[in-house]
């Protein structure tokens, strides 16, 4: 699959993007595919955690939701800077990853959940979302080119995996495997 993505995403020599540390980050090819894909995924996560944070009853879950919001907002901003700096022709790296047709909209599901079941519904939506983020990031580690993008993928994998462990320890309905 990586070979197919590489063939479909080959391009002219990549532009450089200044990294926060002052080093130069080259973002192109599969790194751009990953950044576009992960940004879309994180935007969905942000919609989930922002659906109704005031309805979260469990204090540790409320704290985790706020941390997810802050972390993923920062990660999306960084990814957008790298994508933007890669040039105006980076949309060719954007790939559609539609949800299966039978998957309900998680934000609509949360908005329609009664107060008493909100924490359990949030956990049921958030755990698979974070599992998928970790899997996407882990898959990119093998093909990442730019060290900064590889580091982002590693951090996403580690943090989302840790979030799932934290959620599993909370006194709300346990996440399904």
């Amino acid at each position: 699959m990586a070979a197919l993505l590489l063939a479909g995403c080959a391009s002219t020599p990549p532009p450089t993007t200044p990294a926060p540390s002052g080093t130069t980050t080259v973002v192109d090819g599969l790194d751009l595919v990953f950044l576009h894909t992960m940004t879309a995924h994180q935007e969905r996560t942000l919609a989930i955690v922002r659906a109704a944070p005031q309805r979260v009853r469990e204090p540790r879950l409320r704290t985790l939701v706020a941390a997810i919001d802050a972390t993923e907002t920062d990660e999306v901003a960084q990814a957008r800077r790298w994508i933007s700096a890669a040039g105006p022709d980076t949309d060719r790296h954007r790939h559609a990853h539609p949800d299966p047709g039978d998957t309900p909209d998680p934000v609509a599901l949360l908005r329609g959940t009664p107060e008493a079941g909100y924490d359990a519904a949030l956990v049921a939506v958030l755990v698979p979302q974070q599992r998928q983020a970790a899997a996407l990031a882990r898959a990119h580690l093998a093909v990442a080119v730019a060290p900064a993008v590889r580091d982002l993928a590693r951090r996403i994998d580690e943090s989302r995996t840790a979030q799932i462990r934290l959620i599993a320890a909370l006194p709300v309905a346990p996440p399904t495997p």
Side-chain angles (χ1 to χ4, degrees), residues 52-89:
Q54 73 282 359
R55 294 179 64 199
V56 178
R57 291 180 172 188
E58 164 56 44
R60 291 171 292 174
L61 182 57
R62 190 178 312 113
T63 299
L64 182 59
V65 163
I68 289 169
D69 190 335
T71 299
E72 296 202 23
T73 297
D74 289 347
E75 289 168 352
V76 166
Q78 178 62 66
R80 285 183 180 152
R81 284 191 297 272
W82 286 335
I83 291 167
S84 177
D89 196 27

Side-chain angles (χ1 to χ4, degrees), residues 64 127 157-170 175:
L64 182 59
V127 167
D157 178 26
E158 290 174 359
S159 70
R160 295 343 176 250
T161 301
Q163 290 167 6
I164 294 164
R165 281 194 303 269
L166 287 169
I167 292 169
L170 295 176

Side-chain angles (χ1 to χ4, degrees), residues 44-66 68 106-107 109-130 167 170 172-176:
R44 183 174 180 162
T45 304
L46 289 169
I48 290 167
V49 299
R50 291 173 180 167
Q54 73 282 359
R55 294 179 64 199
V56 178
R57 291 180 172 188
E58 164 56 44
R60 291 171 292 174
L61 182 57
R62 190 178 312 113
T63 299
L64 182 59
V65 163
I68 289 169
V107 174
L109 177 91
L110 290 171
R111 288 188 179 134
T113 299
E115 196 76 28
Y118 191 81
D119 286 8
L122 178 59
V123 166
V125 168
L126 191 56
V127 167
Q129 182 75 8
Q130 297 307 71
I167 292 169
L170 295 176
V172 294
T176 56

Side-chain angles (χ1 to χ4, degrees), residues 146-157:
V149 176
R150 182 179 300 110
D151 183 59
L152 174 64
R154 179 194 53 76
R155 287 185 285 120
I156 289 171
D157 178 26

